Amino acid sequence: AARAAATRTAFLIGAVATVVVMALSMGLAFPGHGWVQLGLALVVLAGPARRFFVTALGQARHAAANMDTLIALGAAASFAYSAWALGAHGQGLYFETTVAIVTFALGGRWLEERAKGRTGEAIAALVKLRPETARVIEGDATREVSITSLTAGTLFRVLPGERVPTDGVVRAGESAVDESLLSGEPIPVDKTPGDAVTGGTLNQSGALDVEATRVGADTTLARIARLVEEAAGSKARVQRLADRVSGVFVPVVIGAAVAVFVARYLLHPGAGALLAALVPAVTLLVIACPCALGLATPTAIMVATGRAARGGILVRDAETLERAQAVSVVVLDKTGTITEGKPAVVDFVRHPAPGDEAAAPDERDLLALVAAVESRSEHPVGRALAAYAAARGGPAPTITRFAARPGAGVVAEADGRPVVLGSRALLAAEGAPPGELDALEAEALPGRTMVYALVDGHVRASFAIADRIKPGTAAAIARLKQLGVRVVMLTGDLRSAATTIAQQAGIEEVRAEVRPEQKASVIADLRAAGAVVAMVGDGINDAPALAAADVGIALGAGAEVAIEAAPITLAGDDLAGVADVLALSRRTLAIVKQNLWWALGYNLIAVPVAALGLLAHHGPMIGAAAMALSSLSVITNSLRLRRVQL
């Protein structure tokens, strides 16, 4: 953003100078106006144009050249000629060419950097910042300090709803911690003294006293972030191609300019020989300046990223759009990407247990008991049960006793009836009949958390808790297939659970039981096989894979590290945006290629014309006008991207 702002300021200075100098050169003259033009041109060369000369000199030291070299040459040549003409006879000034070359080039740079900067700001607004402070325990009190002051061994407290400031070990307290951004799985993990916690994970149900074990650059998040750092100022391959072309084009242009100068000087002996030789040589340098070439990619990218942003897609750089058009395989994380990423009741079975069936609660009463008991629970699984049961149960009974059993479930009394909700082990500990417990073994399925209800000493119901596929996911995957893209699911879940989700989503290829650190290797294997891979994910565990892919696409509701690792971010969590990205990139690259061919074609025609001296004494001015028209055509062509349907 700071670089974009600096380029914008430089562009505005150049634009104002260009307007004034052009006005003076086109008739709004007064005595001494030539010196005013020279002064304004000097301001532009010393300020806004300085970056081009610095880069050109750096290239020259290595016997190389790029587009900045041409810009510097064109501006310097037109200025030097005009300064000489001003001192010699005060006529034939082309300072407007000097400032126009710089201004057009700066305009292209600003368009590109503006797209990057604006996307960076949008991403910054989406991500959730890590905690900046921690509650350090000092005796019976706590004191908030910056996390930068934490050291290994520091004891701090994490309250419900807060993120863990740094890696550590629980020393006191019991809670459920949402580790989905790290592990990718939606079911929170119960933490008791002795368990490890990771910085950035979300504490949910109880206060934890934690002893810091790793801080600063040694934390899990910091290590993962280092794996996924990418250069911020990437260039699209088409731009690098333009630089390579310039590396050949610059020596040719310089050689041609020298040859034209020598030839014209020798062919026009006498007092006017220098002027006759200098004008076509300067014209050639000016007209060869690739302003349209410099605008070809950034204008298309700016329009495309603006169109994408209106559709909820944030694109960080030009290179990403260039690569996305060639994607042949899209790899999707499961949890939080294909699925909702939170626990929900996906199955309910009522058990007609032995005993006095007349006294057993019917389904509505049973669900009312479950809803009333779990409404007291702060555990995410308990909340999922409460939401499901409350929507289907009858009037809520009165709870007279309630106790949580961390990692196992809850024990309560509702309207005088003993109720136990939890794992099979908890029911066994609370006296459930062994025969009824044995019958539950067949109900457990991979990828599902089973919660059983023990009422009046008998097992009355089973609840299966799992993640659910997002609405619209199947349609989004079908559209990807229509684009000719192969779709792969990548998950750490057991194969049986992953296959169930894949079938619901319409995905035939599944890579299951893959640990977070192995995901990047899977991406590398696909690329080694010749595929151009796009990875879509939302968790910290997806970040290395997002960085390893040709194109990383993160969901805006996901983890900060994942968003930083991915050059494309979908503002929401709808996978339809993935197909939109691929379609937009294909259209954008078509426009960029059209722009490049137009710009190169302009140079191929104009340079020989200038070299032959066919533009006469108005060559520099005509060259500047032709340059402006070429640049305008590139911008107009790029604006067609605004009409792309997403």
Side-chain angles (χ1 to χ4, degrees), residues 311-313 332 337 470-480 483 536 553 555 570 572-583 646:
I313 302 166
L332 301 173
T337 303
K470 292 178 183 177
T473 293
I477 291 171
R479 186 178 169 209
L480 285 172
L483 292 174
V536 186
I553 303 175
L555 302 186
L570 305 183
D573 60 357
D574 188 354
L575 285 181
V578 178
D580 289 338
V581 167
L582 302 187
L646 297 181

Side-chain angles (χ1 to χ4, degrees), residues 108 120 170 223 279 298 315 327 373 383 409 453 479 595 598 630 635:
V170 177
R223 292 202 306 271
V279 169
V315 182
V327 165
V373 171
R383 291 199 291 268
R479 186 178 169 209
N595 289 347
W598 176 267
S630 177
I635 294 171

